[in-house]
Amino acid sequence: MEKHAAEDETHGSTDDSSAQASGNTTGIYRDRLTPKLMLQLAAPHTWPGSVMPVLGSVAMAYRATDTLQAPLALLLLIICVLMQSTANALNDYFDFKRGADSEEDDVAVDDAVLVYNDVNPRSVLIYALGMLACAFAFGIIVIVHAGWVPLAIALTGAIVVALYSGGKTPISFLPIGEAVSGTVMGLLIPAACFYVLTNGMFTAFVVLWSLPFALGIGLIMLTNNTCDIEKDIEAGRRTLPVCTGRQYARKLYHILLVLWVLLITLIVLVQFERSLWVILFMLFACIPLVKALWANPLLPKTRIAAMGQICSVNVALGTFYAFALVF
């Protein structure tokens, strides 16, 4: 980061503790947290991780009630996207404060705001907490409509968001990150949304139907962590790929990819046989995407491509699966 002239200092803001942690010894920050940077911190390219489970829950609820509550579904989508955006911004903040991110880590410019921009880290933290507050403010409408059960699930999600990147030993530093993110976003989100959209209905089948979403989200995390093995070792992380090594992490990755597609196919075949034609179209459309992801070596230099590929596969499989649940 280049040094700034004295005349620019009056335009910055100071934060001594953040300056020391980030290597900015002057405590002067030239760049403001603009709407463009806010959007980058929210990381829209990762939103399939929250959008697809909500889409799935809408499909499940419609299947169960023959009713589409579009305004309520849109509200739930906004809440879930805000929660994920909070997690993304907090992850950037804590990684930067710990020195876990740098320009040498093969991260895209729009995926590391604090690395490539001289922004006060404290403003990023305030922004993240503001998004979380907005999510809970919108959640009041949901509570009025559906009672306290969604609030309990939302609080669980908020606690996980905080613990994932923050604390003395964050979840992101442990070999359980994939399982935790898959469970919270892939199982709890659909369960909560289904409960709200069906006016308090719940069935164990919702958990079964949500498993493909949990697998897809877990694979997003596994993609990132496998590409980041070297970086995570330097940062002191003990992620699952760090513990197993890249060779075995890729083997597990390929097994889960196959299981993901098979699970969707089996669920539809056994419980929604009339929708089997959707799965045929899904396989035809998604095989090229899955093959490209399969061939990715999941190295630091292929991280950006791998993350784009796994998010694209999530969107494709999730969309076809949601259609199958409806029809």
Side-chain angles (χ1 to χ4, degrees):
M1 200 74 69
E2 68 179 22
K3 299 183 184 299
H4 308 298
E7 58 266 29
D8 290 329
E9 293 183 359
T10 56
H11 300 290
S13 59
T14 61
D15 180 350
D16 293 338
S17 62
S18 295
Q20 293 171 3
S22 65
N24 184 334
T25 56
T26 66
I28 306 298
Y29 298 92
R30 180 182 181 182
D31 298 331
R32 301 289 184 180
L33 189 57
T34 62
K36 179 181 177 181
L37 295 181
M38 289 179 180
L39 185 63
Q40 290 178 5
L41 283 165
H45 60 281
T46 68
W47 289 354
S50 55
V51 172
M52 301 321 296
V54 174
L55 179 62
S57 66
V58 171
M60 296 176 209
Y62 182 78
R63 184 86 182 205
T65 64
D66 289 324
T67 301
L68 176 61
Q69 300 192 55
L72 193 55
L74 179 61
L75 180 62
L76 291 168
L77 178 61
I78 292 171
I79 292 170
C80 291
V81 167
L82 281 170
M83 292 284 284
Q84 185 178 8
S85 298
T86 298
N88 291 335
L90 286 177
N91 192 56
D92 281 4
Y93 170 79
F94 284 112
D95 278 356
F96 184 75
K97 293 282 283 187
R98 294 188 180 98
D101 282 340
S102 71
E103 294 184 26
E104 290 74 39
D105 290 328
D106 293 289
V107 291
V109 173
D110 61 354
D111 200 25
V113 169
L114 287 170
V115 172
Y116 293 104
N117 300 274
D118 195 17
V119 174
N120 190 336
R122 180 177 292 178
S123 63
V124 173
L125 178 60
I126 293 171
Y127 168 58
L129 296 178
M131 287 192 291
L132 186 62
C134 287
F136 274 92
F138 285 125
I140 294 174
I141 303 173
V142 176
I143 294 170
V144 171
H145 176 82
W148 295 100
V149 172
L151 176 62
I153 297 176
L155 287 174
T156 301
I159 291 171
V160 172
V161 165
L163 295 179
Y164 189 84
S165 300
K168 184 173 288 188
T169 307
I171 293 173
S172 63
F173 275 57
L174 303 173
I176 58 172
E178 291 83 0
V180 170
S181 59
T183 299
V184 171
M185 298 181 68
L187 296 182
L188 287 186
I189 286 179
C193 293
F194 181 86
Y195 183 90
V196 172
L197 292 170
T198 58
N199 299 315
M201 283 178 55
F202 188 77
T203 170
F205 282 117
V206 172
V207 176
L208 173 64
W209 299 339
S210 299
L211 285 176
F213 297 112
L215 270 175
I217 292 164
L219 277 164
I220 292 176
M221 298 306 304
L222 188 57
T223 303
N224 183 73
N225 288 341
T226 304
C227 292
D228 283 350
I229 287 177
E230 292 78 11
K231 167 188 166 183
D232 287 343
I233 290 174
E234 290 183 10
R237 284 190 172 104
R238 296 289 296 169
T239 64
L240 182 60
V242 167
C243 293
T244 63
R246 181 169 280 109
Q247 179 182 355
Y248 288 104
R250 286 196 72 215
K251 287 182 179 179
L252 174 62
Y253 193 85
H254 290 162
I255 290 171
L256 292 177
L257 270 177
V258 173
L259 181 60
W260 188 14
V261 176
L262 284 179
L263 187 57
I264 292 174
T265 304
L266 286 174
I267 290 173
V268 174
L269 179 63
V270 173
Q271 293 197 300
F272 308 101
E273 63 277 0
R274 290 186 303 175
S275 300
L276 195 57
W277 62 274
V278 177
I279 299 303
L280 295 177
F281 280 102
M282 179 192 79
L283 294 174
F284 180 77
C286 295
I287 283 178
L289 296 174
V290 174
K291 283 179 65 177
L293 186 57
W294 187 286
N296 194 303
L298 303 181
L299 297 170
K301 63 182 180 182
T302 64
R303 177 186 179 277
I304 295 175
M307 291 303 294
Q309 289 166 341
I310 186 60
C311 287
S312 296
V313 174
N314 263 274
V315 170
L317 290 179
T319 302
F320 277 109
Y321 181 45
F323 272 116
L325 292 177
V326 169
F327 293 108

